[in-house]
Amino acid sequence: MTELIKVTPENISDLKKAGEIIKKGGLVAFPTETVYGIGANGLDGDAVKNIFKAKGRPSDNPLILHIADFEEAENIGEMNSTAKIIGEKFWPGPITIVVNKKQNVPDAVTAGLNTVAIRMPSHYIARQIIKYAGVPIAAPSANISGKPSPTCAKHVIEDLNGKVDMIIDGGRCDIGIESTVIDTTGEKPLILRPGGITYEQLKEILPNVEVEQHTRVENPAYKPRSPGMKYKHYAPKAKVIVFEGNALEKIEEELKICAAKNKKAGVFCSDNSNYTADLIIKWGTTPKDMAQRVFWALREFDEKGMDVILCEMPDKCGIGMGVRNRLYKAAAYDIR
Ligand code: TXA
Ligand code: MG
């Protein structure tokens, strides 16, 4: 049985029970500022293995450990000077730092790697659960493996009801795509997954930061260093197609093809665009607006029975880089 609770700043002490569940080896899904996570005691290998079961996640894809203060980070990882610079600037917040791990981190968390991914979230619910649990919380996104990450409790319930002990409804996630993952163990700091903290923000404090060329678009032959990047990801049931550059004519053309084949087509586009389609979801005007809505929209198109989802793409700058990365994968690289 999964217990569902709603939490606001007024009843935050209700999270004590969530902390207890985690301490005892159970599973709790909770909101963070990026996406919802499914959490377990990060120092308990058996509890962590249950996350993989609930999500249907391949066991060679390591998890992030969530912490509430710097001391906790030092307990589980070797916080080198680069890691400290990043943490001091952007924690608590949407960035995950990969460092060499310490002995107490179970292999189930790191998939046997000698590095560990650490994040200090800023969401008040996430922080309070970590404090009540008194341990680092291992938490991947709270979706069935392969599906879009959930950004509201309804989407967590769809995927995980009956598979976890508790789901906490804390409303919509603010950022909407996952944290940036940055590896600090190599010669240069390397962004493994673009996300909430942007390349431009990192470049300001780390002039030598690089972005891993992990998308097939940029380099089809590249073997990803972040294990999660090789799997099918973020895919709704409908077929997703993404459109680069001046998308208007290309999307209108594709809508005609869908109509001829009797396929229901939805369009995910900026407020400034107009199409005639079975369902239009507008993402706003900036990459930040789009990030907030992208995972939510992919699931919404499914719920409304669309066969095909046609997406306008944001520019590569800022959080746009992360949005593009997620949409390329959702579209299985069908780029027009
Ligand atoms: O925003 C987020 O990061 C969310 C919320 C819940 O905090 N969590 C999240 O977790 O996105 P997950 O498991 O869906 O993605 C973690 C990513 C994966 O791509 C994984 O391969 C990578 O981090 N990762 C974890 N440990 C790693 C390590 N030691 N070295 C390299 N990559 C690692
Ligand atoms: Mg995920």
Side-chain angles (χ1 to χ4, degrees):
M1 260 285 285
T2 300
E3 187 178 347
L4 181 65
I5 64 167
K6 261 198 168 76
V7 172
T8 63
E10 283 72 53
N11 67 338
I12 190 155
S13 60
D14 289 3
L15 292 173
K16 264 188 196 144
K17 191 167 175 197
E20 286 299 319
I21 292 172
I22 288 190
K23 220 186 292 179
K24 288 187 191 142
L27 300 181
V28 176
F30 61 90
T32 81
E33 70 278 20
T34 57
V35 300
Y36 274 72
I38 165 177
N41 180 345
L43 301 180
D44 175 345
D46 290 332
V48 169
K49 282 181 192 153
N50 287 331
I51 295 181
F52 287 88
K53 271 187 224 150
K55 275 182 63 94
R57 179 176 172 113
S59 60
D60 66 344
N61 189 6
L63 304 180
I64 296 169
L65 288 184
H66 296 69
I67 46 132
D69 56 52
F70 272 89
E71 210 183 299
E72 257 185 309
E74 304 270 7
N75 290 338
I76 52 178
E78 304 288 348
M79 293 297 287
N80 59 60
S81 56
T82 309
K84 280 187 185 146
I85 292 171
I86 301 167
E88 270 158 25
K89 176 83 182 174
F90 296 115
W91 275 355
I95 188 157
T96 296
I97 308 175
V98 174
V99 295
N100 288 321
K101 71 162 208 158
K102 290 205 171 151
Q103 282 266 319
N104 56 344
V105 180
D107 276 346
V109 169
T110 62
L113 298 174
N114 50 20
T115 55
V116 61
I118 309 177
R119 172 159 116 80
M120 189 192 292
S122 62
H123 195 292
Y124 72 99
I125 292 180
R127 293 179 66 74
Q128 197 58 46
I129 297 177
I130 300 166
K131 283 182 193 157
Y132 282 138
V135 290
I137 296 184
S141 48
N143 51 283
I144 297 293
S145 213
K147 287 185 57 174
S149 303
T151 51
C152 61
K154 185 180 116 184
H155 292 164
V156 180
I157 293 167
E158 265 170 32
D159 280 17
L160 296 179
N161 199 14
K163 296 183 176 172
V164 298
D165 299 296
M166 181 182 266
I167 295 174
I168 294 158
D169 182 349
R172 285 272 188 100
C173 298
D174 186 35
I175 292 175
I177 63 169
E178 301 87 346
S179 63
T180 303
V181 178
I182 184 162
D183 187 351
T184 65
T185 64
E187 220 169 275
K188 291 178 180 171
L190 185 64
I191 297 173
L192 303 180
R193 176 176 75 180
I197 298 293
T198 67
Y199 168 74
E200 292 86 346
Q201 282 174 296
L202 284 159
K203 186 103 183 150
E204 267 180 37
I205 56 163
L206 302 167
N208 62 344
V209 66
E210 287 186 358
V211 184
E212 195 196 23
Q213 302 296 297
H214 55 259
T215 70
R216 274 208 263 163
V217 186
E218 283 161 77
N219 183 353
Y222 201 85
K223 188 171 172 288
R225 261 173 69 180
S226 178
M229 286 303 176
K230 72 180 181 230
Y231 292 107
K232 180 179 172 216
H233 243 117
Y234 317 119
K237 290 185 211 109
K239 175 177 171 50
V240 179
I241 307 174
V242 296
F243 294 82
E244 298 275 26
N246 196 351
L248 187 86
E249 277 175 26
K250 291 185 271 184
I251 290 183
E252 276 177 346
E253 195 57 34
E254 194 60 37
L255 283 169
K256 280 186 205 150
I257 295 170
C258 291
K261 290 184 184 162
N262 258 328
K263 291 202 164 162
K264 282 187 129 186
V267 183
F268 188 45
C269 58
S270 94
D271 283 3
N272 305 323
S273 301
N274 279 307
Y275 298 96
T276 308
D278 293 298
L279 177 62
I280 307 271
I281 298 180
K282 298 219 163 167
W283 45 254
T285 53
T286 64
K288 203 170 159 214
D289 299 334
M290 192 179 187
Q292 269 179 345
R293 282 183 219 173
V294 62
F295 284 141
W296 172 84
L298 292 178
R299 285 182 181 251
E300 195 66 16
F301 282 117
D302 265 357
E303 202 180 302
K304 300 279 156 58
M306 296 302 114
D307 300 304
V308 183
I309 305 167
L310 311 177
C311 297
E312 287 182 358
M313 289 290 252
D315 290 338
K316 198 173 175 178
C317 58
I319 200 166
M321 190 190 282
V323 175
R324 291 164 69 92
N325 166 272
R326 306 307 188 275
L327 279 175
Y328 284 147
K329 283 162 188 283
Y333 298 92
D334 190 342
I335 304 156
R336 308 285 173 88

